[in-house]
Amino acid sequence: MRDVRTEGEAVFTLVSAHTRAGLAFVQTLAEHHIPVALLNGGPEEWAGLASMAEHERLLISVNAADPFPAYPPTPIGSVFLFENSLPMICSYLQSIKGWTGNSIYVITEHCRYRTLYSQLGADYVIYSQSGDVSFLLDAVR
Protein backbone atom coordinates (compact mmCIF):
# COMPACT_ATOMS: atom_id res chain seq x y z
CA MET A 1 0.00 0.00 0.00
CA ARG A 2 1.19 3.46 -0.82
CA ASP A 3 0.56 6.22 1.70
CA VAL A 4 1.52 9.57 0.26
CA ARG A 5 -1.06 11.66 2.06
CA THR A 6 -0.12 15.03 3.36
CA GLU A 7 -0.91 16.15 6.87
CA GLY A 8 -4.58 16.96 7.25
CA GLU A 9 -5.59 15.27 3.99
CA ALA A 10 -8.88 13.39 4.20
CA VAL A 11 -8.92 9.62 4.17
CA PHE A 12 -11.87 8.38 2.16
CA THR A 13 -14.04 5.37 2.96
CA LEU A 14 -14.35 3.41 -0.27
CA VAL A 15 -17.82 2.01 -0.99
CA SER A 16 -19.23 -0.01 -3.84
CA ALA A 17 -22.89 0.83 -3.28
CA HIS A 18 -24.75 -1.13 -5.92
CA THR A 19 -27.54 -2.22 -3.59
CA ARG A 20 -30.16 -0.45 -1.50
CA ALA A 21 -28.18 -1.34 1.62
CA GLY A 22 -25.05 0.16 0.04
CA LEU A 23 -26.80 3.40 -0.85
CA ALA A 24 -28.25 3.62 2.65
CA PHE A 25 -24.76 3.10 4.08
CA VAL A 26 -23.35 5.90 1.90
CA GLN A 27 -26.11 8.16 3.15
CA THR A 28 -25.27 7.24 6.76
CA LEU A 29 -21.61 8.10 6.13
CA ALA A 30 -22.68 11.44 4.66
CA GLU A 31 -24.84 12.21 7.69
CA HIS A 32 -21.77 11.67 9.87
CA HIS A 33 -19.60 13.84 7.56
CA ILE A 34 -17.31 10.94 6.66
CA PRO A 35 -15.53 11.41 3.30
CA VAL A 36 -16.75 8.80 0.81
CA ALA A 37 -15.26 7.48 -2.42
CA LEU A 38 -17.87 5.66 -4.50
CA LEU A 39 -16.37 2.89 -6.61
CA ASN A 40 -17.45 2.19 -10.15
CA GLY A 41 -20.39 4.24 -10.93
CA GLY A 42 -21.36 7.44 -12.53
CA PRO A 43 -23.24 10.58 -11.72
CA GLU A 44 -26.51 8.63 -11.91
CA GLU A 45 -25.54 6.76 -8.73
CA TRP A 46 -25.25 10.05 -6.86
CA ALA A 47 -28.64 11.16 -8.17
CA GLY A 48 -30.33 8.82 -5.69
CA LEU A 49 -28.42 10.53 -2.90
CA ALA A 50 -29.22 14.10 -3.86
CA SER A 51 -30.98 14.77 -0.57
CA MET A 52 -28.01 13.89 1.60
CA ALA A 53 -25.95 16.56 3.30
CA GLU A 54 -23.02 17.94 1.37
CA HIS A 55 -19.81 16.29 2.39
CA GLU A 56 -16.54 15.23 0.88
CA ARG A 57 -17.14 12.68 -1.82
CA LEU A 58 -15.25 11.28 -4.76
CA LEU A 59 -16.34 9.14 -7.67
CA ILE A 60 -13.84 6.53 -8.81
CA SER A 61 -15.32 5.43 -12.11
CA VAL A 62 -14.01 2.16 -13.44
CA ASN A 63 -15.54 0.08 -16.20
CA ALA A 64 -14.58 -2.94 -18.26
CA ALA A 65 -12.87 -0.75 -20.87
CA ASP A 66 -10.60 0.96 -18.34
CA PRO A 67 -8.17 -0.87 -16.09
CA PHE A 68 -8.13 -0.12 -12.38
CA PRO A 69 -5.51 2.45 -11.47
CA ALA A 70 -2.51 1.02 -9.60
CA TYR A 71 -3.15 3.53 -6.82
CA PRO A 72 -6.30 5.36 -5.83
CA PRO A 73 -6.50 9.10 -6.44
CA THR A 74 -6.74 9.76 -2.69
CA PRO A 75 -5.88 7.91 0.53
CA ILE A 76 -8.34 5.11 1.25
CA GLY A 77 -9.36 3.89 4.70
CA SER A 78 -11.80 1.03 5.12
CA VAL A 79 -13.49 -0.54 2.09
CA PHE A 80 -17.12 -1.70 1.92
CA LEU A 81 -18.20 -3.72 -1.12
CA PHE A 82 -21.93 -4.39 -1.37
CA GLU A 83 -22.41 -7.46 -3.54
CA ASN A 84 -24.78 -7.50 -6.43
CA SER A 85 -22.58 -9.54 -8.76
CA LEU A 86 -20.02 -12.26 -8.01
CA PRO A 87 -17.71 -11.36 -10.94
CA MET A 88 -17.82 -7.65 -10.05
CA ILE A 89 -16.87 -8.20 -6.40
CA CYS A 90 -14.10 -10.64 -7.37
CA SER A 91 -12.71 -8.06 -9.79
CA TYR A 92 -12.87 -5.31 -7.18
CA LEU A 93 -11.14 -7.43 -4.55
CA GLN A 94 -8.30 -8.37 -6.90
CA SER A 95 -7.84 -4.78 -8.04
CA ILE A 96 -8.09 -2.78 -4.81
CA LYS A 97 -6.56 -4.99 -2.14
CA GLY A 98 -3.34 -2.95 -2.34
CA TRP A 99 -5.16 0.37 -1.99
CA THR A 100 -5.49 0.25 1.80
CA GLY A 101 -3.98 -1.24 4.89
CA ASN A 102 -7.40 -1.08 6.55
CA SER A 103 -10.10 -3.73 6.53
CA ILE A 104 -12.05 -4.74 3.44
CA TYR A 105 -15.66 -5.76 4.04
CA VAL A 106 -17.92 -7.60 1.60
CA ILE A 107 -21.60 -7.36 2.44
CA THR A 108 -23.70 -10.02 0.75
CA GLU A 109 -27.17 -11.55 0.84
CA HIS A 110 -25.70 -14.91 -0.19
CA CYS A 111 -23.49 -16.88 2.17
CA ARG A 112 -22.10 -19.33 -0.40
CA TYR A 113 -19.10 -17.25 -1.57
CA ARG A 114 -17.64 -16.43 1.85
CA THR A 115 -14.48 -18.53 1.34
CA LEU A 116 -13.85 -17.18 -2.16
CA TYR A 117 -14.11 -13.57 -1.03
CA SER A 118 -11.76 -14.25 1.88
CA GLN A 119 -9.22 -15.86 -0.44
CA LEU A 120 -9.36 -12.81 -2.71
CA GLY A 121 -8.59 -10.39 0.12
CA ALA A 122 -11.77 -9.62 2.05
CA ASP A 123 -11.06 -9.34 5.76
CA TYR A 124 -14.73 -9.69 6.65
CA VAL A 125 -17.64 -11.20 4.74
CA ILE A 126 -20.93 -10.10 6.26
CA TYR A 127 -24.13 -11.94 5.46
CA SER A 128 -27.18 -9.69 5.76
CA GLN A 129 -30.64 -10.23 4.36
CA SER A 130 -32.18 -7.32 6.22
CA GLY A 131 -30.01 -4.70 4.54
CA ASP A 132 -29.49 -2.94 7.87
CA VAL A 133 -25.74 -2.51 8.12
CA SER A 134 -25.68 0.63 10.22
CA PHE A 135 -23.47 -1.24 12.70
CA LEU A 136 -20.66 -0.94 10.12
CA LEU A 137 -20.36 2.74 10.96
CA ASP A 138 -18.27 1.72 13.98
CA ALA A 139 -15.71 0.18 11.61
CA VAL A 140 -15.17 3.55 9.90
CA ARG A 141 -14.49 5.63 13.00
Side-chain angles (χ1 to χ4, degrees):
M1 185 194 87
R2 176 183 81 139
D3 189 355
V4 295
R5 103 182 89 148
T6 59
E7 189 175 325
E9 184 177 12
V11 175
F12 283 74
T13 298
L14 183 63
V15 182
S16 164
H18 298 285
T19 65
R20 270 186 268 170
L23 292 173
F25 185 63
V26 170
Q27 188 153 4
T28 299
L29 293 173
E31 290 167 1
H32 287 87
H33 304 285
I34 296 171
V36 176
L38 184 62
L39 182 63
N40 192 34
E44 65 279 357
E45 287 192 15
W46 287 110
L49 302 171
S51 64
M52 68 184 181
E54 277 301 312
H55 69 291
E56 286 191 78
R57 62 185 184 202
L58 172 71
L59 181 62
I60 302 175
S61 185
V62 180
N63 59 48
D66 300 322
F68 273 79
Y71 299 105
T74 189
I76 299 296
S78 296
V79 176
F80 299 87
L81 305 175
F82 289 82
E83 179 201 53
N84 74 335
S85 159
L86 173 66
M88 179 185 72
I89 295 298
C90 290
S91 174
Y92 286 177
L93 285 168
Q94 291 173 318
S95 300
I96 66 169
K97 61 186 170 189
W99 284 14
T100 184
N102 291 27
S103 296
I104 298 175
Y105 299 79
V106 173
I107 299 87
T108 179
E109 293 181 359
H110 311 284
C111 58
R112 59 187 158 206
Y113 303 120
R114 183 177 305 268
T115 303
L116 174 62
Y117 292 150
S118 294
Q119 290 172 342
L120 290 174
D123 297 297
Y124 301 97
V125 179
I126 298 169
Y127 173 67
S128 173
Q129 285 189 311
S130 72
D132 179 14
V133 291
S134 56
F135 64 91
L136 290 174
L137 187 59
D138 292 335
V140 178
R141 297 180 182 181

